[in-house]
């Protein structure tokens, strides 16, 4: 499998919820982007990584992106300019993030294409069918769409902070 990726290429887009609750995750990506790209390129030297940041309708921006690149510093610089903000409601603009990844990034024709959606909130219910269609379309071009759901992690972190604020340190 790795041998074929080393010949055809690997393109990975991180589609990241950049609403206020995601600041810790954005900081982690920023602090570890060089290592992330380095590890992937140890396995597939011609791998490229891109980032799409999304929020929700009515926010200062809905989507921004940094195209697929061989350089971890490009990802670090892009994500370093993203200040998590907005949100406040449960559903976010996941569909717009996936659409931007599919339509705006310069995917190589023969590469293995991967989109990883990273977030703590679901898409709008009215967007579910559209996202399903996008995933099927992307799969039809040899792409894989996957998710990292941080909902549980975010809720646990919130509960710890609330407990600490109310009662002091955890026992």
């Amino acid at each position: 499998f790795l041998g074929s990726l080393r010949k055809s290429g690997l393109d990975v887009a991180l589609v990241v919820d950049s609403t206020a609750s995601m600041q810790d995750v954005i900081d982690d990506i920023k602090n570890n982007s060089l290592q992330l790209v380095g590890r992937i390129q140890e396995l597939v030297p011609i791998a490229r990584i891109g980032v799409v940041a999304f929020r929700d309708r009515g926010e200062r921006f809905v989507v921004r992106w940094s195209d697929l690149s061989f350089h971890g510093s490009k990802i670090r610089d892009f994500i370093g300019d993203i200040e998590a903000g907005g949100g406040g409601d449960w559903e976010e603009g996941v569909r717009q993030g996936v659409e931007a990844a599919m339509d705006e990034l310069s995917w190589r024709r023969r590469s293995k294409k991967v989109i990883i959606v990273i977030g703590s909130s679901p898409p709008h219910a009215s967007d579910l069918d559209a996202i399903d269609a996008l995933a099927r379309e992307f799969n039809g071009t040899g792409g894989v769409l996957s998710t990292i759901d941080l909902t549980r992690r975010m809720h646990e972190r919130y509960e710890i902070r609330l407990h600490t604020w109310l009662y002091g340190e955890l026992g």
Side-chain angles (χ1 to χ4, degrees), residues 1-159:
F1 181 72
L2 283 175
S4 69
L5 290 178
R6 288 175 179 151
K7 291 179 185 172
S8 63
L10 173 65
D11 289 342
V12 178
L14 304 176
V15 178
V16 182
D17 176 349
S18 64
T19 56
S21 64
M22 294 289 290
Q23 186 63 59
D24 290 342
V25 175
I26 290 170
D27 290 342
D28 285 347
I29 294 170
K30 182 185 345 179
N31 294 332
N32 296 301
S33 59
L34 296 176
Q35 286 179 289
L36 172 68
V37 172
R39 293 276 165 94
I40 292 171
Q41 289 178 339
E42 283 176 16
L43 298 171
V44 182
I46 59 172
R48 300 183 313 158
I49 307 348
V51 178
V52 175
F54 70 90
R55 287 191 181 162
D56 199 11
R57 305 167 194 150
E59 300 289 339
R60 193 167 53 105
F61 71 87
V62 178
V63 292
R64 289 185 180 165
W65 62 88
S66 178
D67 204 1
L68 296 158
S69 173
F70 297 105
H71 307 289
S73 59
K74 185 175 178 187
I75 293 167
R76 183 195 61 219
D77 294 346
F78 171 77
I79 205 78
D81 288 340
I82 298 295
E83 291 288 329
D89 60 346
W90 179 235
E91 299 170 323
E92 303 298 353
V94 177
R95 176 183 55 82
Q96 291 87 346
V98 172
E99 284 175 339
M102 289 175 59
D103 297 340
E104 304 298 338
L105 302 186
S106 59
W107 300 95
R108 291 177 287 187
R109 194 167 39 98
R110 292 194 174 118
S111 70
K112 179 67 176 174
K113 300 162 192 68
V114 179
I115 293 175
I116 302 171
V117 179
I118 305 168
S120 63
S121 297
H124 292 274
S126 60
D127 288 343
L128 292 175
D129 289 339
I131 292 171
D132 184 57
L134 290 168
R136 290 176 191 274
E137 176 187 342
F138 195 61
N139 187 262
T141 66
V144 174
L145 191 146
S146 188
T147 61
I148 299 175
D149 181 357
L150 298 170
T151 307
R152 182 176 178 182
R153 177 180 168 197
M154 297 289 186
H155 286 277
E156 288 172 350
R157 186 176 292 154
Y158 172 77
E159 289 173 6

Side-chain angles (χ1 to χ4, degrees), residues 155-170:
H155 286 277
E156 288 172 350
R157 186 176 292 154
Y158 172 77
E159 289 173 6
I160 290 169
R161 287 180 180 164
L162 180 62
H163 183 278
T164 303
W165 179 71
L166 289 172
Y167 307 108
E169 291 300 316
L170 295 175

